[in-house]
Amino acid sequence: MSRIAAKLSVSVCATAVLALTACQDQANGGGAGSRDHITVVGSSTVFPFSTIVAEQLVNATPGMKSPAIESTGTGAGMKLFCAGVGAAHPDIEDASRRMKANEYAMCKANGVDQILEIQVGLDGIAFAESQSGPKLQLTAVDLYKALAATPMGQPNTAKTWKDVNPALPAIPIQVYGPPATSGTRDALAELILARGCDSINPALAETKEKNPSGYAKACTAIREDGAYVDAGENDNLIVQKLQSNPNAIGIFGYSYLEENKDKLNGVPLNGVEPTYETIARGAYPGSRPLFLYVKKAHLTAIKGLREYLSLYAAAWEPNGPLVAKGLIASPEDVRKRSAQIVKDATVLDPAKLP
């Protein structure tokens, strides 16, 4: 490489990847510090939506390399996302819950302190069974008694749904669900198990902030004796298991129920079925928002990242391709606010994180 070409290469690297601390002198090192594609980690629930937008980006942009999207689970994805700024680290975190204050602190400690928080839509934690299943109808209290490790402070000995509630059938409790690294698992704990626990033990709810570890042990820790089966981050595998075990229940994002409605039935929760309408208006107890977290420093350094986010903002509209695949559109004011965050690259205020 000539001296002029070498200087030009260094100049391009310094300009286009100024924000990326991992950028190396490509005149000397083969470009290990730069990247020519978008990288995304995180939620298995958001994964199919991010994949659809990635396909749109490639189709609309000649020569664009396909984004690398990994389904790691929200919690595991946060660790990867927060590990640093630079080409060696992901650009986007898919999340099926909000970032937590302690996760932001981890990000900031590693130099990731300019982050966009973008709500892409809504979802519901769907409880589903095979179409040939027992047609269960459950409540948050039923699920707490069935899945908590120590309901009412005692080790869980319930073997059948009838042990949990005399009105339910005497079939074994067998629930396939997400792992501890999943945002869906976090939402199961916070939206369902905690509500069931609080209904039975209102005094515990009052001590949640003073003794969070004690509250978690009593209310949201999940039993590990085989009644709850960690099915990993592969929600399609849960669908397959429900077909082979009609008496079992599966837990995943609503989009997977919608995609497999010819094979599965949604299990009503507190008398409300998981549907687009019930989740959109907040009637279904398992309703939750879905997010993207994006490093502002990467917006000008990673080719196609801004365009990818703009395509996302167009795709999450009620008549867009993401809703056709099971995403539930956010209310109009939320969609407009999220689109404005994308346009202006507005960073989140960490003081508002849970």
Side-chain angles (χ1 to χ4, degrees):
M1 181 181 290
S2 71
R3 183 176 299 177
I4 293 175
K7 287 182 178 179
L8 181 58
S9 177
V10 173
S11 176
V12 169
C13 182
T15 301
V17 200
L18 181 61
L20 299 184
T21 58
C23 183
Q24 296 178 356
D25 183 348
Q26 294 196 46
N28 298 320
S34 63
R35 182 159 32 80
D36 59 0
H37 64 276
I38 298 163
T39 61
V40 185
V41 296
S43 166
S44 63
T45 301
V46 185
F47 172 83
F49 306 130
S50 291
T51 301
I52 290 168
V53 179
E55 291 171 355
Q56 287 188 331
L57 178 68
V58 172
N59 290 338
T61 316
M64 175 67 66
K65 289 197 174 181
S66 181
I69 305 174
E70 291 185 73
S71 176
T72 63
T74 298
M78 286 289 184
K79 292 179 181 178
L80 294 168
F81 179 80
C82 290
V85 173
H89 306 288
D91 310 309
I92 298 174
E93 155 74 357
D94 288 342
S96 55
R97 58 162 172 79
R98 287 198 79 191
M99 175 181 278
K100 299 175 182 178
N102 65 335
E103 289 170 332
Y104 182 86
M106 174 175 60
C107 272
K108 187 174 182 179
N110 291 319
V112 187
D113 59 355
Q114 295 282 296
I115 302 171
L116 280 62
E117 180 184 65
I118 304 162
Q119 183 174 324
V120 298
L122 298 169
D123 182 48
I125 309 168
F127 296 81
E129 63 181 14
S130 165
Q131 288 195 341
S132 58
K135 306 297 186 291
L136 290 173
Q137 296 201 32
L138 302 174
T139 67
V141 171
D142 294 336
L143 287 163
Y144 167 66
K145 289 181 177 180
L147 299 181
T150 55
M152 286 78 74
Q154 300 298 320
N156 200 331
T157 59
K159 302 296 183 184
T160 71
W161 288 105
K162 192 175 184 66
D163 295 335
V164 166
N165 181 342
L168 295 174
I171 58 176
I173 298 168
Q174 187 79 85
V175 178
Y176 297 107
T181 55
S182 170
T184 301
R185 174 79 164 257
D186 292 335
L188 168 65
E190 295 168 11
L191 298 178
I192 308 300
L193 300 186
R195 287 178 180 175
C197 180
D198 293 350
S199 296
I200 300 174
N201 306 302
L204 274 174
E206 297 175 4
T207 64
K208 184 176 181 179
E209 292 187 6
K210 296 179 181 178
N211 184 13
S213 60
Y215 179 85
K217 182 178 179 181
C219 293
T220 60
I222 292 179
R223 63 194 297 184
E224 298 178 350
D225 59 355
Y228 181 93
V229 180
D230 178 340
E233 293 292 350
N234 187 347
D235 292 332
N236 286 314
L237 179 61
I238 297 179
V239 174
Q240 294 170 19
K241 288 183 177 295
L242 295 181
Q243 291 180 273
S244 61
N245 184 358
N247 284 334
I249 286 177
I251 305 173
F252 37 58
Y254 167 77
S255 63
Y256 286 89
L257 174 60
E258 176 67 18
E259 189 176 324
N260 294 280
K261 58 186 177 183
D262 59 327
K263 308 180 188 75
L264 306 176
N265 290 324
V267 175
L269 191 56
N270 293 356
V272 182
E273 292 190 21
T275 66
Y276 186 101
E277 291 74 20
T278 60
I279 296 169
R281 59 186 170 88
Y284 181 68
S287 301
R288 58 175 177 171
L290 303 176
F291 298 93
L292 299 182
Y293 290 92
V294 185
K295 292 170 184 166
K296 184 172 183 177
H298 288 206
L299 288 175
T300 54
I302 300 300
K303 180 182 178 182
L305 185 54
R306 283 186 179 275
E307 291 79 3
Y308 179 75
L309 297 178
S310 295
L311 285 171
Y312 228 122
W316 67 45
E317 290 295 318
N319 60 348
L322 302 187
V323 170
K325 288 296 184 179
L327 181 74
I328 291 152
S330 297
E332 184 178 5
D333 61 327
V334 176
R335 298 198 309 272
K336 287 183 176 179
R337 184 166 61 248
S338 293
Q340 199 65 41
I341 290 171
V342 169
K343 181 180 178 182
D344 298 339
T346 307
V347 300
L348 67 83
D349 178 358
K352 297 180 179 180
L353 292 174

